[in-house]
Amino acid sequence: MPAPKPAPELKHLDHVLVTPLAIKRRIVALGHKINKDYAKKDLMVVAIVNGALIFTADLLRNLTGPLRLDCLRASSYHTGTKAVGEPRIVDQMKLDVRGQSVLLVDDILDTGKTLAAVAGMLKAKGAASVRTCVLLDKKARRAVPFEADYVGFEIPNEFVVGYGLDFNERYRHLPCIGVLKPKYYAS
Ligand code: IMP
Ligand code: MG
Protein backbone atom coordinates (compact mmCIF):
# COMPACT_ATOMS: atom_id res chain seq x y z
CA MET A 1 0.00 0.00 0.00
CA PRO A 2 1.43 3.44 -0.86
CA ALA A 3 2.22 5.79 2.04
CA PRO A 4 -0.55 8.35 2.70
CA LYS A 5 -0.03 11.80 1.18
CA PRO A 6 1.38 14.49 3.53
CA ALA A 7 -1.35 16.47 5.35
CA PRO A 8 -2.34 19.58 3.34
CA GLU A 9 -2.15 21.61 6.59
CA LEU A 10 1.65 21.19 6.55
CA LYS A 11 1.53 24.04 4.03
CA HIS A 12 0.09 26.28 6.79
CA LEU A 13 3.41 26.08 8.67
CA ASP A 14 5.77 29.01 8.53
CA HIS A 15 8.60 26.86 9.89
CA VAL A 16 9.24 23.52 11.59
CA LEU A 17 10.79 23.63 15.08
CA VAL A 18 11.09 19.90 15.75
CA THR A 19 11.12 17.20 13.06
CA PRO A 20 9.40 13.80 13.36
CA LEU A 21 12.80 12.08 13.53
CA ALA A 22 14.04 14.36 16.31
CA ILE A 23 10.81 13.68 18.27
CA LYS A 24 11.20 9.93 17.81
CA ARG A 25 14.82 9.92 18.97
CA ARG A 26 14.14 12.13 21.96
CA ILE A 27 11.24 9.92 23.10
CA VAL A 28 13.50 6.84 22.99
CA ALA A 29 15.96 8.68 25.28
CA LEU A 30 13.17 9.82 27.63
CA GLY A 31 11.90 6.23 27.77
CA HIS A 32 15.35 4.93 28.79
CA LYS A 33 15.58 7.50 31.57
CA ILE A 34 12.06 6.81 32.88
CA ASN A 35 12.59 3.02 32.75
CA LYS A 36 15.75 3.44 34.79
CA ASP A 37 14.15 5.77 37.34
CA TYR A 38 11.07 3.57 37.80
CA ALA A 39 12.74 0.14 37.57
CA LYS A 40 10.68 -2.37 39.57
CA LYS A 41 8.05 0.28 40.40
CA ASP A 42 4.43 -0.05 39.32
CA LEU A 43 3.93 3.20 37.44
CA MET A 44 0.67 5.05 36.88
CA VAL A 45 0.91 7.21 33.75
CA VAL A 46 -1.64 10.05 33.70
CA ALA A 47 -2.00 11.85 30.37
CA ILE A 48 -3.61 15.27 30.08
CA VAL A 49 -5.67 14.93 26.90
CA ASN A 50 -6.20 15.94 24.17
CA GLY A 51 -2.79 17.61 23.87
CA ALA A 52 -0.70 14.78 25.38
CA LEU A 53 -2.44 12.02 23.39
CA ILE A 54 0.12 11.44 20.67
CA PHE A 55 3.18 12.05 22.85
CA THR A 56 1.87 9.65 25.51
CA ALA A 57 1.09 6.95 22.94
CA ASP A 58 4.64 7.06 21.60
CA LEU A 59 6.23 7.38 25.05
CA LEU A 60 4.31 4.36 26.40
CA ARG A 61 5.72 2.17 23.64
CA ASN A 62 9.18 2.99 24.97
CA LEU A 63 8.34 2.08 28.57
CA THR A 64 8.93 -1.42 29.87
CA GLY A 65 6.44 -1.24 32.74
CA PRO A 66 4.67 -2.54 34.70
CA LEU A 67 2.33 0.42 34.29
CA ARG A 68 -1.25 1.53 34.01
CA LEU A 69 -2.63 4.43 31.98
CA ASP A 70 -5.34 6.92 32.80
CA CYS A 71 -6.31 10.26 31.29
CA LEU A 72 -7.80 13.48 32.49
CA ARG A 73 -8.89 16.62 30.72
CA ALA A 74 -7.97 20.11 31.85
CA SER A 75 -9.21 23.27 30.29
CA SER A 76 -8.54 26.97 30.48
CA TYR A 77 -10.51 29.58 28.65
CA HIS A 78 -8.54 30.61 25.54
CA THR A 79 -8.57 33.72 23.44
CA GLY A 80 -6.55 33.00 20.30
CA THR A 81 -3.20 31.63 21.42
CA LYS A 82 -3.41 32.84 25.05
CA ALA A 83 -4.93 30.96 27.98
CA VAL A 84 -6.75 33.31 30.33
CA GLY A 85 -7.98 32.38 33.78
CA GLU A 86 -7.16 29.37 35.92
CA PRO A 87 -7.19 25.84 34.50
CA ARG A 88 -10.10 23.59 35.50
CA ILE A 89 -10.09 19.81 35.57
CA VAL A 90 -13.13 19.03 33.47
CA ASP A 91 -12.87 15.25 33.13
CA GLN A 92 -11.52 13.22 36.04
CA MET A 93 -9.50 10.01 36.10
CA LYS A 94 -11.03 6.58 36.59
CA LEU A 95 -8.17 4.95 38.56
CA ASP A 96 -7.50 5.53 42.24
CA VAL A 97 -4.20 7.41 42.67
CA ARG A 98 -3.85 6.73 46.40
CA GLY A 99 -0.36 5.35 47.12
CA GLN A 100 0.61 5.38 43.42
CA SER A 101 3.83 6.51 41.71
CA VAL A 102 2.34 8.87 39.15
CA LEU A 103 3.98 10.14 35.99
CA LEU A 104 1.92 13.06 34.72
CA VAL A 105 2.35 13.64 30.97
CA ASP A 106 1.49 16.79 29.04
CA ASP A 107 2.32 18.18 25.64
CA ILE A 108 3.80 21.50 26.74
CA LEU A 109 4.76 23.38 29.87
CA ASP A 110 3.85 26.99 29.21
CA THR A 111 2.72 29.21 32.11
CA GLY A 112 2.94 26.13 34.37
CA LYS A 113 -0.57 26.66 35.74
CA THR A 114 -2.05 23.42 34.35
CA LEU A 115 0.67 21.10 35.62
CA ALA A 116 0.90 22.89 38.96
CA ALA A 117 -2.87 22.52 39.45
CA VAL A 118 -3.08 18.89 38.29
CA ALA A 119 0.02 17.77 40.22
CA GLY A 120 -1.39 19.48 43.32
CA MET A 121 -4.73 17.71 42.86
CA LEU A 122 -3.05 14.28 42.49
CA LYS A 123 -0.96 14.83 45.62
CA ALA A 124 -4.06 15.99 47.53
CA LYS A 125 -5.78 12.76 46.44
CA GLY A 126 -2.97 10.76 48.06
CA ALA A 127 -0.52 9.86 45.25
CA ALA A 128 2.73 8.54 46.77
CA SER A 129 4.76 10.55 44.25
CA VAL A 130 4.03 12.77 41.26
CA ARG A 131 6.62 13.43 38.55
CA THR A 132 5.95 15.25 35.33
CA CYS A 133 7.01 14.66 31.74
CA VAL A 134 6.45 17.16 28.93
CA LEU A 135 7.45 17.05 25.31
CA LEU A 136 8.01 20.82 25.13
CA ASP A 137 9.04 23.46 27.63
CA LYS A 138 8.51 27.17 26.90
CA LYS A 139 10.47 28.54 29.86
CA ALA A 140 10.06 32.19 28.87
CA ARG A 141 6.29 32.01 29.49
CA ARG A 142 6.33 30.67 33.06
CA ALA A 143 3.87 32.47 35.36
CA VAL A 144 4.11 30.10 38.33
CA PRO A 145 7.29 28.38 39.53
CA PHE A 146 7.12 24.87 38.07
CA GLU A 147 9.72 22.63 36.43
CA ALA A 148 9.08 19.24 34.81
CA ASP A 149 11.16 16.19 35.76
CA TYR A 150 11.47 15.02 32.14
CA VAL A 151 11.57 17.45 29.20
CA GLY A 152 11.74 16.60 25.51
CA PHE A 153 12.73 19.97 24.06
CA GLU A 154 13.06 23.52 25.29
CA ILE A 155 11.53 25.80 22.70
CA PRO A 156 11.42 29.59 22.18
CA ASN A 157 8.39 31.69 23.06
CA GLU A 158 6.32 30.91 19.96
CA PHE A 159 2.86 29.33 19.73
CA VAL A 160 3.35 25.87 18.20
CA VAL A 161 1.12 23.22 16.67
CA GLY A 162 1.42 19.57 15.63
CA TYR A 163 2.08 16.23 17.29
CA GLY A 164 -0.96 16.68 19.56
CA LEU A 165 -0.81 20.46 19.95
CA ASP A 166 -3.62 22.46 18.41
CA PHE A 167 -4.71 25.89 17.40
CA ASN A 168 -8.53 26.07 17.68
CA GLU A 169 -8.56 22.22 17.81
CA ARG A 170 -6.77 21.90 14.45
CA TYR A 171 -3.29 20.66 13.44
CA ARG A 172 -2.99 17.97 16.16
CA HIS A 173 -2.33 15.31 13.50
CA LEU A 174 0.79 16.94 12.00
CA PRO A 175 3.86 14.72 12.56
CA CYS A 176 6.20 17.60 13.45
CA ILE A 177 6.11 20.62 15.79
CA GLY A 178 5.87 23.90 13.90
CA VAL A 179 4.80 27.52 13.90
CA LEU A 180 1.86 28.59 11.72
CA LYS A 181 2.05 31.37 9.17
CA PRO A 182 0.65 34.51 10.85
CA LYS A 183 -2.46 34.60 8.63
CA TYR A 184 -3.66 31.27 10.09
CA TYR A 185 -3.44 32.55 13.68
CA ALA A 186 -5.50 35.55 12.64
CA SER A 187 -8.48 33.44 11.47
P1 IMP B 1 -0.01 26.16 30.89
O1 IMP B 1 -1.06 25.86 31.92
O2 IMP B 1 0.03 27.60 30.52
O3 IMP B 1 1.36 25.60 31.21
O4 IMP B 1 -0.49 25.57 29.53
C1 IMP B 1 -0.62 24.30 29.28
C2 IMP B 1 -1.58 24.08 28.13
O5 IMP B 1 -1.74 25.23 27.24
C3 IMP B 1 -0.97 23.00 27.30
O6 IMP B 1 -1.36 21.75 27.80
C4 IMP B 1 -1.51 23.30 25.94
O7 IMP B 1 -2.77 22.69 25.79
C5 IMP B 1 -1.72 24.79 25.89
N1 IMP B 1 -0.59 25.46 25.18
C6 IMP B 1 0.37 26.22 25.72
N2 IMP B 1 1.26 26.65 24.79
C7 IMP B 1 0.83 26.12 23.63
C8 IMP B 1 1.32 26.18 22.26
O8 IMP B 1 2.35 26.79 21.94
N3 IMP B 1 0.60 25.51 21.35
C9 IMP B 1 -0.54 24.80 21.65
N4 IMP B 1 -1.02 24.70 22.89
C10 IMP B 1 -0.35 25.37 23.87
MG1 MG C 1 -3.11 20.74 26.91
Side-chain angles (χ1 to χ4, degrees):
M1 225 190 308
K5 285 193 186 134
E9 283 102 328
L10 280 170
K11 295 202 181 84
H12 295 197
L13 294 181
D14 181 72
H15 55 278
V16 172
L17 275 184
V18 194
T19 65
L21 183 60
I23 296 172
K24 193 174 176 183
R25 287 186 172 147
R26 187 70 190 117
I27 290 177
V28 171
L30 286 174
H32 278 300
K33 180 87 175 69
I34 293 166
N35 286 330
K36 215 166 118 205
D37 292 353
Y38 285 93
K40 300 195 185 80
K41 277 214 173 125
D42 192 357
L43 186 60
M44 184 178 285
V45 176
V46 177
I48 305 180
V49 293
N50 296 332
L53 190 68
I54 294 173
F55 175 42
T56 307
D58 284 343
L59 182 67
L60 283 188
R61 283 174 282 193
N62 284 279
L63 299 184
T64 43
L67 63 81
R68 284 176 295 161
L69 170 68
D70 204 346
C71 298
L72 59 79
R73 200 177 283 266
S75 153
S76 354
Y77 179 70
H78 277 82
T79 50
T81 59
K82 296 274 182 292
V84 285
E86 296 309 305
R88 286 180 310 123
I89 293 155
V90 291
D91 199 359
Q92 279 289 357
M93 305 170 50
K94 301 272 188 300
L95 298 177
D96 185 356
V97 299
R98 270 177 296 177
Q100 301 300 313
S101 306
V102 174
L103 182 66
L104 185 55
V105 183
D106 205 359
D107 49 1
I108 187 165
L109 181 50
D110 187 37
T111 65
K113 288 181 180 178
T114 303
L115 279 179
V118 176
M121 180 275 288
L122 294 172
K123 282 179 196 155
K125 284 193 167 187
S129 69
V130 180
R131 285 193 191 166
T132 51
C133 176
V134 293
L135 180 65
L136 305 172
D137 185 357
K138 241 195 265 181
K139 280 204 188 308
R141 289 256 313 147
R142 208 73 93 248
V144 296
F146 194 95
E147 294 307 324
D149 299 284
Y150 306 95
V151 174
F153 302 91
E154 266 187 44
I155 61 162
N157 186 7
E158 291 184 283
F159 193 88
V160 292
V161 297
Y163 199 75
L165 293 113
D166 72 303
F167 173 64
N168 284 348
E169 294 304 327
R170 300 206 174 266
Y171 306 109
R172 293 194 198 272
H173 63 307
L174 300 185
C176 58
I177 306 282
V179 177
L180 289 176
K181 290 173 185 159
K183 68 173 179 183
Y184 294 106
Y185 288 123
S187 63

